[in-house]
Coordinates of all heavy atoms in Angstrom, one line a residue:
M1 N 9.9 8.2 2.6 CA 8.6 8.8 2.9 C 7.6 7.8 2.6 O 7.5 7.2 1.5 CB 8.5 10.1 2.1 CG 7.3 10.9 2.3 SD 5.8 10.5 1.4 CE 6.3 10.6 -0.3
R2 N 6.7 7.6 3.6 CA 5.6 6.7 3.5 C 4.3 7.3 3.5 O 4.0 8.3 4.2 CB 5.7 5.6 4.6 CG 6.9 4.8 4.5 CD 7.1 3.9 5.7 NE 8.4 3.2 5.5 CZ 8.5 1.9 5.5 NH1 7.5 1.1 5.8 NH2 9.7 1.3 5.3
Q3 N 3.4 6.8 2.6 CA 2.0 7.3 2.6 C 1.1 6.0 2.9 O 1.3 5.0 2.3 CB 1.6 7.8 1.2 CG 2.1 9.2 0.9 CD 1.6 9.7 -0.4 OE1 1.0 9.0 -1.2 NE2 1.9 11.0 -0.7
Y4 N 0.1 6.3 3.7 CA -0.8 5.2 4.1 C -2.1 5.6 3.6 O -2.5 6.7 3.4 CB -0.7 5.1 5.6 CG 0.5 4.5 6.1 CD1 1.6 5.4 6.5 CD2 0.7 3.1 6.3 CE1 2.7 4.9 7.0 CE2 2.0 2.7 6.8 CZ 3.0 3.6 7.1 OH 4.2 3.1 7.5
M5 N -3.0 4.5 3.4 CA -4.4 4.8 3.0 C -5.3 4.0 3.8 O -4.9 3.2 4.8 CB -4.5 4.3 1.5 CG -4.3 2.8 1.3 SD -4.5 2.5 -0.4 CE -4.1 0.7 -0.5
G6 N -6.6 4.2 3.6 CA -7.6 3.6 4.4 C -8.0 4.4 5.5 O -7.3 5.4 5.9
S7 N -9.2 4.2 6.1 CA -9.7 5.0 7.1 C -8.8 5.0 8.4 O -8.7 6.0 9.1 CB -11.1 4.6 7.5 OG -11.2 3.3 7.8
D8 N -8.2 3.8 8.6 CA -7.3 3.7 9.8 C -5.8 4.1 9.5 O -5.0 4.2 10.4 CB -7.3 2.3 10.3 CG -6.8 1.3 9.2 OD1 -6.6 1.6 8.1 OD2 -6.9 0.1 9.6
K9 N -5.6 4.5 8.2 CA -4.2 4.8 7.7 C -3.1 3.8 8.1 O -2.0 4.2 8.5 CB -3.9 6.2 8.3 CG -4.7 7.3 7.9 CD -4.4 7.8 6.5 CE -5.1 9.0 6.0 NZ -5.0 9.2 4.6
R10 N -3.5 2.6 8.0 CA -2.5 1.5 8.4 C -2.0 0.7 7.2 O -1.0 0.0 7.3 CB -3.2 0.6 9.4 CG -3.5 1.2 10.7 CD -4.2 0.3 11.7 NE -3.1 -0.6 12.2 CZ -3.3 -1.6 13.1 NH1 -4.5 -1.7 13.6 NH2 -2.3 -2.4 13.5
T11 N -2.7 0.8 6.1 CA -2.3 0.1 4.8 C -1.3 1.0 4.1 O -1.6 2.1 3.7 CB -3.5 -0.3 3.9 OG1 -4.4 -1.0 4.7 CG2 -3.0 -1.1 2.8
L12 N -0.1 0.4 3.8 CA 1.0 1.2 3.1 C 0.6 1.3 1.7 O 0.3 0.3 1.0 CB 2.3 0.4 3.3 CG 3.5 1.1 2.8 CD1 3.7 2.4 3.5 CD2 4.8 0.2 3.1
E13 N 0.5 2.6 1.2 CA 0.1 2.9 -0.2 C 1.4 3.2 -1.1 O 1.4 2.8 -2.3 CB -0.8 4.1 -0.2 CG -1.3 4.5 -1.5 CD -2.2 5.7 -1.5 OE1 -2.1 6.5 -0.6 OE2 -3.0 5.9 -2.4
K14 N 2.4 3.8 -0.5 CA 3.5 4.3 -1.3 C 4.7 4.5 -0.4 O 4.6 5.0 0.8 CB 3.0 5.6 -1.9 CG 3.9 6.2 -2.9 CD 3.3 7.5 -3.3 CE 3.8 8.0 -4.6 NZ 3.1 9.3 -5.0
I15 N 5.9 4.1 -0.9 CA 7.2 4.4 -0.3 C 8.0 5.1 -1.3 O 8.2 4.6 -2.4 CB 7.9 3.2 0.3 CG1 7.2 2.4 1.2 CG2 9.2 3.7 0.9 CD1 7.9 1.2 1.8
V16 N 8.5 6.3 -1.0 CA 9.4 7.0 -1.9 C 10.8 7.3 -1.2 O 10.8 7.7 -0.1 CB 8.8 8.4 -2.3 CG1 9.6 9.2 -3.2 CG2 7.4 8.2 -2.9
C17 N 11.8 7.1 -1.9 CA 13.2 7.3 -1.4 C 13.3 8.8 -1.1 O 13.1 9.6 -2.1 CB 14.2 6.8 -2.3 SG 15.9 7.2 -1.9
N18 N 13.6 9.2 0.0 CA 13.7 10.6 0.4 C 15.0 11.2 -0.4 O 15.0 12.4 -0.6 CB 13.9 10.8 1.9 CG 12.7 10.6 2.6 OD1 12.2 9.5 2.8 ND2 12.1 11.8 3.1
Q19 N 16.0 10.4 -0.7 CA 17.2 11.0 -1.3 C 16.9 11.3 -2.9 O 17.2 12.4 -3.3 CB 18.4 10.0 -1.1 CG 19.7 10.5 -1.8 CD 20.2 11.7 -1.1 OE1 20.3 11.8 0.1 NE2 20.7 12.6 -2.0
C20 N 16.5 10.3 -3.6 CA 16.4 10.5 -5.0 C 15.0 10.6 -5.6 O 14.8 10.9 -6.7 CB 17.1 9.3 -5.8 SG 16.2 7.7 -5.6
G21 N 14.0 10.4 -4.7 CA 12.6 10.5 -5.2 C 12.0 9.3 -5.9 O 10.8 9.3 -6.3
Q22 N 12.8 8.2 -6.0 CA 12.3 7.0 -6.7 C 11.2 6.3 -5.8 O 11.4 6.2 -4.6 CB 13.5 6.0 -7.0 CG 13.0 4.7 -7.6 CD 14.1 3.7 -7.6 OE1 15.2 4.0 -8.0 NE2 13.8 2.5 -7.1
E23 N 10.2 5.9 -6.5 CA 9.1 5.1 -5.8 C 9.5 3.7 -5.7 O 9.9 3.1 -6.7 CB 7.8 5.3 -6.5 CG 6.6 4.8 -5.7 CD 5.2 5.2 -6.4 OE1 5.2 6.2 -7.1 OE2 4.3 4.4 -6.1
L24 N 9.4 3.1 -4.6 CA 9.8 1.7 -4.4 C 8.6 0.9 -4.7 O 7.4 1.2 -4.5 CB 10.3 1.4 -3.0 CG 11.7 1.9 -2.8 CD1 11.8 3.4 -2.5 CD2 12.3 1.2 -1.6
K25 N 8.9 -0.4 -5.2 CA 7.8 -1.4 -5.6 C 7.1 -1.9 -4.3 O 7.7 -2.4 -3.4 CB 8.4 -2.5 -6.3 CG 8.9 -2.2 -7.7 CD 9.3 -3.5 -8.4 CE 10.0 -3.1 -9.7 NZ 11.5 -3.3 -9.5
L26 N 5.8 -1.8 -4.4 CA 4.9 -2.4 -3.3 C 3.9 -3.4 -3.9 O 3.5 -3.2 -5.1 CB 4.0 -1.2 -2.7 CG 4.7 -0.4 -1.7 CD1 3.6 0.6 -1.1 CD2 5.3 -1.2 -0.5
E27 N 3.6 -4.4 -3.2 CA 2.6 -5.4 -3.6 C 1.8 -5.7 -2.3 O 2.3 -6.2 -1.4 CB 3.3 -6.6 -4.2 CG 2.4 -7.3 -5.2 CD 3.2 -8.4 -5.9 OE1 4.0 -8.1 -6.7 OE2 2.9 -9.6 -5.5
N28 N 0.5 -5.3 -2.5 CA -0.5 -5.5 -1.3 C 0.2 -4.9 0.0 O 0.0 -5.5 1.0 CB -0.7 -7.0 -1.1 CG -1.4 -7.6 -2.3 OD1 -2.3 -7.0 -2.9 ND2 -1.0 -8.8 -2.6
G29 N 0.7 -3.7 -0.2 CA 1.2 -3.0 1.0 C 2.5 -3.5 1.5 O 3.0 -3.1 2.6
I30 N 3.2 -4.5 0.8 CA 4.4 -5.0 1.3 C 5.5 -4.6 0.2 O 5.3 -4.8 -1.0 CB 4.4 -6.6 1.4 CG1 3.3 -7.0 2.4 CG2 5.7 -7.1 1.8 CD1 3.0 -8.4 2.4
V31 N 6.6 -4.0 0.7 CA 7.7 -3.6 -0.1 C 8.4 -4.7 -0.7 O 8.7 -5.8 -0.1 CB 8.6 -2.6 0.6 CG1 9.4 -3.3 1.7 CG2 9.6 -1.9 -0.4
Q32 N 8.7 -4.6 -2.1 CA 9.3 -5.7 -2.9 C 10.7 -5.6 -3.2 O 11.2 -6.2 -4.1 CB 8.4 -5.9 -4.1 CG 7.0 -6.2 -3.9 CD 6.7 -7.6 -3.2 OE1 7.2 -8.6 -3.6 NE2 5.9 -7.5 -2.1
E33 N 11.4 -4.6 -2.6 CA 12.8 -4.4 -2.8 C 13.5 -3.9 -1.5 O 12.8 -3.6 -0.6 CB 13.0 -3.5 -4.0 CG 12.4 -2.1 -3.9 CD 12.5 -1.3 -5.1 OE1 13.7 -1.1 -5.5 OE2 11.5 -0.9 -5.7
G34 N 14.8 -3.8 -1.5 CA 15.5 -3.4 -0.4 C 15.2 -1.9 -0.1 O 15.2 -1.1 -0.9
V35 N 15.0 -1.6 1.2 CA 14.7 -0.3 1.7 C 15.4 -0.1 3.1 O 15.4 -1.0 3.9 CB 13.2 0.0 1.8 CG1 12.5 -0.9 2.7 CG2 12.9 1.5 2.1
F36 N 15.9 1.1 3.3 CA 16.4 1.5 4.6 C 15.5 2.4 5.2 O 15.2 3.5 4.6 CB 17.8 2.1 4.5 CG 18.3 2.6 5.8 CD1 18.8 1.7 6.8 CD2 18.2 3.9 6.1 CE1 19.3 2.3 8.0 CE2 18.6 4.4 7.3 CZ 19.2 3.6 8.3
S37 N 15.0 2.2 6.4 CA 14.1 3.1 7.0 C 14.8 3.7 8.3 O 15.1 3.0 9.2 CB 12.8 2.4 7.5 OG 12.1 1.9 6.4
G38 N 15.0 5.0 8.3 CA 15.6 5.7 9.4 C 14.6 6.3 10.3 O 13.5 6.8 9.8
D39 N 14.9 6.3 11.6 CA 13.9 6.8 12.5 C 14.8 7.4 13.7 O 15.5 6.6 14.3 CB 12.9 5.8 13.0 CG 11.9 6.3 13.9 OD1 11.4 7.4 13.7 OD2 11.6 5.6 14.9
A40 N 14.7 8.6 14.0 CA 15.5 9.2 15.0 C 14.6 10.1 15.9 O 13.8 10.9 15.4 CB 16.6 10.1 14.5
R41 N 14.7 9.9 17.2 CA 14.0 10.7 18.2 C 15.0 11.5 18.9 O 15.9 11.0 19.6 CB 13.2 9.8 19.2 CG 12.1 9.0 18.5 CD 11.7 7.9 19.5 NE 10.7 7.0 18.8 CZ 9.4 6.9 19.0 NH1 8.9 7.6 20.1 NH2 8.7 6.0 18.4
W42 N 14.9 12.9 18.7 CA 15.9 13.8 19.2 C 15.4 14.3 20.6 O 14.3 14.7 20.7 CB 16.1 14.9 18.2 CG 16.6 14.4 16.9 CD1 15.9 14.2 15.8 CD2 18.0 14.1 16.5 NE1 16.7 13.7 14.8 CE2 18.0 13.6 15.2 CE3 19.2 14.1 17.3 CZ2 19.2 13.2 14.6 CZ3 20.3 13.7 16.7 CH2 20.3 13.3 15.3
G43 N 16.4 14.4 21.5 CA 16.0 14.8 22.8 C 16.9 16.0 23.2 O 17.4 16.7 22.4
Y44 N 16.9 16.2 24.5 CA 17.8 17.3 25.1 C 19.2 17.1 24.5 O 19.7 16.1 24.1 CB 17.9 17.1 26.6 CG 16.6 17.3 27.3 CD1 16.1 16.3 28.3 CD2 15.8 18.4 27.1 CE1 14.9 16.4 28.9 CE2 14.6 18.5 27.8 CZ 14.2 17.6 28.6 OH 13.0 17.7 29.3
F45 N 19.9 18.2 24.5 CA 21.3 18.3 24.0 C 21.4 18.1 22.5 O 22.6 17.9 22.0 CB 22.2 17.3 24.8 CG 22.0 17.3 26.2 CD1 21.5 16.3 26.9 CD2 22.2 18.6 27.0 CE1 21.3 16.3 28.3 CE2 22.1 18.6 28.4 CZ 21.6 17.4 29.0
S46 N 20.3 18.1 21.8 CA 20.4 18.0 20.4 C 19.8 19.3 19.7 O 19.3 20.1 20.5 CB 19.6 16.8 19.8 OG 18.2 17.1 19.8
G47 N 20.1 19.4 18.5 CA 19.6 20.6 17.8 C 18.1 20.5 17.4 O 17.5 21.5 16.9
W48 N 17.5 19.3 17.7 CA 16.1 19.1 17.3 C 15.3 18.7 18.5 O 14.5 17.7 18.4 CB 15.9 18.1 16.1 CG 16.6 18.5 14.9 CD1 16.2 19.5 14.0 CD2 17.8 18.0 14.4 NE1 17.1 19.6 13.0 CE2 18.0 18.6 13.1 CE3 18.7 17.0 14.8 CZ2 19.2 18.3 12.3 CZ3 19.7 16.7 14.0 CH2 20.0 17.4 12.7
D49 N 15.5 19.3 19.6 CA 14.9 18.8 20.9 C 13.4 18.5 20.7 O 12.6 19.4 20.3 CB 15.1 19.9 21.9 CG 14.6 19.5 23.3 OD1 14.4 18.2 23.5 OD2 14.5 20.4 24.1
G50 N 13.0 17.3 21.0 CA 11.6 16.9 21.0 C 11.0 16.5 19.6 O 9.9 16.3 19.5
E51 N 11.9 16.5 18.6 CA 11.5 16.1 17.2 C 11.7 14.7 16.9 O 12.7 14.1 17.4 CB 12.1 17.0 16.2 CG 11.7 18.4 16.2 CD 12.4 19.3 15.1 OE1 12.8 18.7 14.1 OE2 12.3 20.5 15.2
R52 N 10.9 14.0 16.1 CA 11.1 12.8 15.6 C 11.2 12.8 14.1 O 10.4 13.4 13.4 CB 10.0 11.8 15.9 CG 10.2 10.4 15.4 CD 9.0 9.5 15.8 NE 9.2 8.2 15.4 CZ 8.4 7.2 15.6 NH1 7.2 7.4 16.2 NH2 8.6 5.9 15.1
H53 N 12.4 12.3 13.6 CA 12.7 12.4 12.1 C 12.6 10.9 11.6 O 13.1 10.0 12.2 CB 14.0 12.9 11.8 CG 14.3 14.4 12.2 ND1 15.4 15.0 12.0 CD2 13.4 15.2 12.9 CE1 15.3 16.3 12.5 NE2 14.1 16.4 13.0
S54 N 11.9 10.8 10.4 CA 11.9 9.5 9.8 C 12.1 9.6 8.3 O 11.7 10.7 7.7 CB 10.6 8.7 10.1 OG 9.5 9.4 9.7
F55 N 12.7 8.7 7.6 CA 12.9 8.7 6.2 C 13.2 7.3 5.6 O 13.5 6.4 6.4 CB 14.1 9.7 5.8 CG 15.4 9.2 6.4 CD1 16.3 8.5 5.7 CD2 15.8 9.7 7.6 CE1 17.5 8.0 6.2 CE2 17.0 9.2 8.2 CZ 17.9 8.4 7.4
D56 N 13.1 7.2 4.3 CA 13.3 5.9 3.7 C 14.4 6.1 2.6 O 14.4 7.2 1.9 CB 12.1 5.3 3.1 CG 11.1 5.0 4.2 OD1 11.3 3.9 4.9 OD2 10.1 5.7 4.3
L57 N 15.2 5.2 2.4 CA 16.2 5.2 1.3 C 16.1 4.0 0.4 O 16.0 2.8 1.0 CB 17.7 5.3 1.8 CG 18.0 6.6 2.6 CD1 19.5 6.5 3.1 CD2 17.8 7.9 1.7
C58 N 16.2 4.1 -0.9 CA 16.3 2.9 -1.7 C 17.6 2.3 -1.6 O 18.5 2.9 -1.0 CB 16.0 3.3 -3.2 SG 17.3 4.3 -4.0
E59 N 17.8 1.1 -2.1 CA 19.0 0.4 -1.9 C 20.2 1.2 -2.5 O 21.4 1.2 -1.9 CB 18.9 -1.0 -2.5 CG 20.0 -1.9 -2.1 CD 19.8 -3.4 -2.5 OE1 18.6 -3.8 -2.6 OE2 20.8 -4.1 -2.8
K60 N 20.1 1.8 -3.7 CA 21.2 2.5 -4.3 C 21.6 3.7 -3.5 O 22.8 3.9 -3.3 CB 20.6 3.0 -5.7 CG 21.7 3.6 -6.6 CD 21.1 4.1 -7.9 CE 20.3 5.3 -7.7 NZ 19.6 5.9 -8.8
C61 N 20.7 4.4 -2.9 CA 21.0 5.6 -2.1 C 21.6 5.2 -0.7 O 22.5 5.8 -0.2 CB 19.8 6.5 -1.8 SG 19.3 7.4 -3.4
Y62 N 21.2 4.1 -0.2 CA 21.7 3.5 1.0 C 23.2 3.1 0.8 O 24.1 3.4 1.5 CB 20.9 2.3 1.5 CG 21.5 1.6 2.7 CD1 21.4 2.1 4.0 CD2 22.3 0.5 2.6 CE1 22.0 1.6 5.1 CE2 22.9 -0.1 3.7 CZ 22.7 0.4 4.9 OH 23.3 -0.1 6.0
R63 N 23.4 2.5 -0.4 CA 24.8 2.1 -0.7 C 25.7 3.3 -0.8 O 26.8 3.2 -0.4 CB 24.8 1.3 -2.1 CG 26.1 0.7 -2.5 CD 26.0 -0.1 -3.8 NE 25.0 -1.1 -3.7 CZ 25.3 -2.3 -3.4 NH1 26.5 -2.7 -3.0 NH2 24.3 -3.3 -3.3
R64 N 25.2 4.3 -1.4 CA 26.0 5.6 -1.6 C 26.3 6.2 -0.2 O 27.4 6.6 0.1 CB 25.2 6.6 -2.5 CG 26.1 7.8 -2.8 CD 25.4 8.8 -3.7 NE 24.5 8.2 -4.7 CZ 23.4 8.7 -5.1 NH1 22.9 9.7 -4.5 NH2 22.6 8.0 -6.0
L65 N 25.2 6.2 0.7 CA 25.4 6.7 2.0 C 26.5 6.0 2.8 O 27.4 6.6 3.4 CB 24.1 6.7 2.8 CG 24.2 7.1 4.2 CD1 24.4 8.6 4.4 CD2 22.8 6.7 5.0
I66 N 26.4 4.7 2.9 CA 27.3 3.9 3.7 C 28.7 4.0 3.1 O 29.7 3.8 3.7 CB 26.9 2.5 4.0 CG1 26.8 1.6 2.8 CG2 25.6 2.5 4.7 CD1 26.6 0.1 3.1
G67 N 28.8 4.1 1.7 CA 30.1 4.3 1.0 C 30.8 5.6 1.5 O 32.0 5.7 1.2
S68 N 30.1 6.5 2.0 CA 30.7 7.7 2.4 C 31.2 7.7 3.9 O 31.8 8.6 4.3 CB 29.7 8.9 2.3 OG 28.7 8.9 3.2
F69 N 30.9 6.6 4.6 CA 31.2 6.5 5.9 C 32.8 6.3 6.1 O 33.4 5.7 5.3 CB 30.7 5.3 6.6 CG 29.1 5.4 6.9 CD1 28.4 4.3 7.4 CD2 28.4 6.5 6.5 CE1 27.1 4.4 7.6 CE2 27.1 6.7 6.8 CZ 26.4 5.6 7.3
R70 N 33.4 6.9 7.1 CA 34.8 6.7 7.4 C 35.0 5.3 7.9 O 36.1 4.7 7.6 CB 35.3 7.7 8.4 CG 36.7 7.7 8.7 CD 37.1 8.8 9.6 NE 36.9 10.0 9.0 CZ 37.8 11.0 8.9 NH1 39.0 10.8 9.3 NH2 37.5 12.1 8.3
L71 N 34.1 4.8 8.7 CA 34.2 3.4 9.2 C 33.1 2.6 8.6 O 32.0 3.1 8.4 CB 34.1 3.4 10.7 CG 35.1 4.1 11.5 CD1 34.8 4.2 12.9 CD2 36.5 3.6 11.2
P72 N 33.3 1.3 8.2 CA 32.2 0.5 7.5 C 31.2 0.2 8.5 O 31.4 0.2 9.7 CB 33.0 -0.7 7.1 CG 34.2 -0.8 8.0 CD 34.6 0.6 8.4
V73 N 30.0 -0.1 8.0 CA 28.9 -0.6 8.8 C 29.2 -2.0 9.4 O 30.0 -2.7 8.8 CB 27.5 -0.7 8.0 CG1 27.2 0.7 7.5 CG2 27.6 -1.7 6.9
T74 N 28.6 -2.3 10.4 CA 28.7 -3.6 11.0 C 27.8 -4.6 10.2 O 26.6 -4.3 10.0 CB 28.3 -3.6 12.5 OG1 29.1 -2.7 13.2 CG2 28.5 -5.0 13.1
V75 N 28.4 -5.7 9.8 CA 27.6 -6.7 8.9 C 27.5 -8.0 9.6 O 28.6 -8.5 10.1 CB 28.3 -6.9 7.5 CG1 27.5 -7.9 6.8 CG2 28.3 -5.6 6.8
E76 N 26.3 -8.5 9.8 CA 26.1 -9.8 10.4 C 25.3 -10.6 9.4 O 24.3 -10.1 8.8 CB 25.5 -9.8 11.7 CG 26.3 -9.0 12.8 CD 25.6 -8.8 14.1 OE1 24.8 -9.8 14.5 OE2 25.6 -7.8 14.7
E77 N 25.4 -11.9 9.4 CA 24.5 -12.7 8.6 C 23.2 -13.0 9.3 O 23.1 -13.1 10.5 CB 25.1 -14.2 8.4 CG 26.4 -14.2 7.6 CD 26.1 -13.9 6.1 OE1 25.1 -14.3 5.6 OE2 27.0 -13.2 5.5
E78 N 22.1 -12.8 8.5 CA 20.7 -13.0 9.0 C 20.3 -14.4 8.6 O 20.4 -14.8 7.4 CB 19.8 -11.9 8.4 CG 20.0 -10.5 8.9 CD 19.3 -10.3 10.2 OE1 18.5 -11.2 10.6 OE2 19.5 -9.3 10.8
T79 N 19.8 -15.1 9.5 CA 19.2 -16.5 9.2 C 17.8 -16.4 8.7 O 17.4 -17.3 7.9 CB 19.4 -17.4 10.4 OG1 18.8 -16.8 11.5 CG2 20.9 -17.7 10.6
E80 N 17.1 -15.4 9.2 CA 15.7 -15.3 8.7 C 15.6 -14.0 7.9 O 15.8 -12.9 8.4 CB 14.7 -15.2 10.0 CG 14.5 -16.5 10.6 CD 13.5 -16.4 11.7 OE1 12.5 -15.6 11.6 OE2 13.6 -17.1 12.7
L81 N 15.3 -14.1 6.6 CA 15.1 -13.0 5.7 C 13.7 -12.5 5.9 O 12.8 -13.2 6.0 CB 15.5 -13.4 4.3 CG 17.0 -13.9 4.2 CD1 17.2 -14.3 2.8 CD2 17.9 -12.8 4.6
L82 N 13.6 -11.1 5.7 CA 12.3 -10.4 5.8 C 11.6 -10.6 4.5 O 12.2 -10.7 3.4 CB 12.5 -9.0 6.1 CG 13.1 -8.7 7.5 CD1 13.3 -7.3 7.7 CD2 12.2 -9.3 8.6
Ligands
LIG1 ZN1 17.1 6.6 -3.7

């Protein structure tokens, strides 16, 4: 869950893990630790027709989530780190 500040609401003020409620570290609006940001736009044939869902998970909760998968996530090496 993200909160923005400023008149234009573009500066990131706070990120909270939707799963555990932990606030993630921010410095000058830039997150300083691992975060997973989910964003789903649901359309026809779904149970949430026309809705957009978004959420954030801290690294610990992301690890727990992918640990519950029947198939592992696809892992590739990144040459440019964020
Ligand atoms: Zn969490």
